[in-house]
Amino acid sequence: MKKTVVELAICSVVQNILQIEVSLETSRELNPEWDSLVHVEIIFGVEEALEVEFPRESLTGLGSVQEIVDEVCKIYAS
Amino acid sequence: MKYAKFMRHNFRVEGSGFTLRPVADADAEFIELLRSNPSLNSFIHRSPPGHSQQLAWLTAYYTRPDDYYFVVEDMTGSERHGLVSLYNLDTSREKAEWGRWIIAPGSLAAIESVLLVFRFAFEILSLRSVYSRTLAENRSVLSFHDSVGIPRIRDMPGEFIFGDRKRDAVLHELTLGGWLSIEHRLELIAKKTATRLSGA
């Protein structure tokens, strides 16, 4: 899957859950609405939409849309 | 069980991936470690410094009949993930406050710890409502309450005093009816998280 498609798909999932305009720069640090509950919903939502499974150590560590995109691309490449 | 006031309670609340169990003296160091972590303690009252002061605080806590302090740990009891409390139990109004909520960085226990403390309040103590007072500047936790679906009741100007400074808080309150409407969603997420943690 092309990276741009991955980016679009992930932005769409995050946007649906966060209900705000989302870009690759959207992050937990700058968006308090990206809280612990929303984070888990985003991670599980991306996993379901893109049919991937993040490694356990990544589940809490992915703090921005860009980091999620990078992690998904890493999984696809492996 | 209808609510009752216990001193040094012995309740355990088991979930899918995590358990709440009573705090004990052996947890003093863990409590101190979590509550003194600069990435976690910006929005909580400072813990008594030092091991002996922490033990003294726990000794006083054990005598309070309206206070239930829990350690959040994994199902095997081998790893502690955080702390949460239910306190200020008001038996006449059948309500209590929840707080002292602090979860170790990188842990996935946050959602289930909240599910379990509400389950304890509504299903074990049979309370009618549970409230929390969150520092207004703690935007991430305020958002968490909102995301969970706990109604925001009102702002509380100057509610807390930290050092010599008054700080505003926000009151959230969950009634039994509200609990019944959010429990299923929290449980689904907690179960999914537990499945992932177990590697199944």
Side-chain angles (χ1 to χ4, degrees), chain B residues 3 5 66-68 85-99 117-118 120-122 125-133 171-174:
Chain B
Y3 59 79
K5 288 193 167 187
D66 63 345
D67 197 331
Y68 304 84
S85 290
L86 193 75
Y87 47 94
N88 291 337
L89 174 66
D90 182 338
T91 51
S92 63
R93 297 165 71 195
E94 299 179 315
K95 69 195 291 184
E97 178 170 9
W98 77 281
V117 82
F118 286 150
F120 174 66
F122 291 113
L125 297 185
S126 301
L127 297 180
R128 287 177 182 274
S129 75
V130 178
Y131 64 95
S132 63
R133 292 172 296 155
L171 177 69
H172 285 81
E173 185 164 357
L174 184 66

Side-chain angles (χ1 to χ4, degrees), chain B:
Chain B
M1 182 173 105
K2 192 70 177 170
Y3 59 79
K5 288 193 167 187
F6 287 86
M7 282 197 239
R8 194 158 190 178
H9 76 89
N10 199 29
F11 290 104
R12 288 181 64 87
V13 192
E14 294 200 353
S16 306
F18 299 95
T19 296
L20 303 187
R21 60 127 173 109
V23 156
D25 283 356
D27 299 309
E29 197 177 336
F30 174 68
I31 296 170
E32 198 184 344
L33 203 67
L34 272 190
R35 293 186 66 93
S36 62
N37 183 327
S39 70
L40 300 172
N41 69 5
S42 306
F43 304 114
I44 58 174
H45 287 96
R46 286 295 149 90
S47 195
H51 189 67
S52 57
Q53 283 82 0
Q54 193 61 246
L55 284 174
W57 189 96
L58 285 173
T59 302
Y61 152 74
Y62 297 141
T63 68
R64 292 199 291 272
D66 63 345
D67 197 331
Y68 304 84
Y69 201 1
F70 294 98
V71 168
V72 183
E73 64 183 15
D74 67 3
M75 298 301 282
T76 64
S78 61
E79 190 179 355
R80 292 172 291 193
H81 287 253
L83 301 159
V84 67
S85 290
L86 193 75
Y87 47 94
N88 291 337
L89 174 66
D90 182 338
T91 51
S92 63
R93 297 165 71 195
E94 299 179 315
K95 69 195 291 184
E97 178 170 9
W98 77 281
R100 296 191 203 119
W101 183 44
I102 187 162
I103 299 295
S107 169
L108 286 168
I111 294 159
E112 187 150 41
S113 66
V114 172
L115 172 76
L116 295 178
V117 82
F118 286 150
R119 192 164 275 164
F120 174 66
F122 291 113
E123 297 175 15
I124 297 177
L125 297 185
S126 301
L127 297 180
R128 287 177 182 274
S129 75
V130 178
Y131 64 95
S132 63
R133 292 172 296 155
T134 307
L135 272 176
E137 59 219 81
N138 193 352
R139 294 172 62 201
S140 175
V141 169
L142 290 180
S143 173
F144 180 86
H145 293 316
D146 296 337
S147 298
V148 167
I150 304 169
R152 198 183 276 224
I153 305 300
R154 63 182 168 89
D155 295 335
M156 307 175 89
E159 176 69 7
F160 293 123
I161 297 174
F162 278 59
D164 55 359
R165 201 177 132 223
K166 283 188 173 181
R167 290 163 84 174
D168 300 342
V170 176
L171 177 69
H172 285 81
E173 185 164 357
L174 184 66
T175 61
L176 177 59
W179 160 242
L180 295 174
S181 71
I182 66 170
E183 181 186 13
H184 182 62
R185 177 175 168 228
L186 287 180
E187 188 164 29
L188 278 181
I189 296 171
K191 280 185 174 164
K192 201 164 180 178
T193 304
T195 303
R196 288 299 306 277
L197 290 176
S198 69

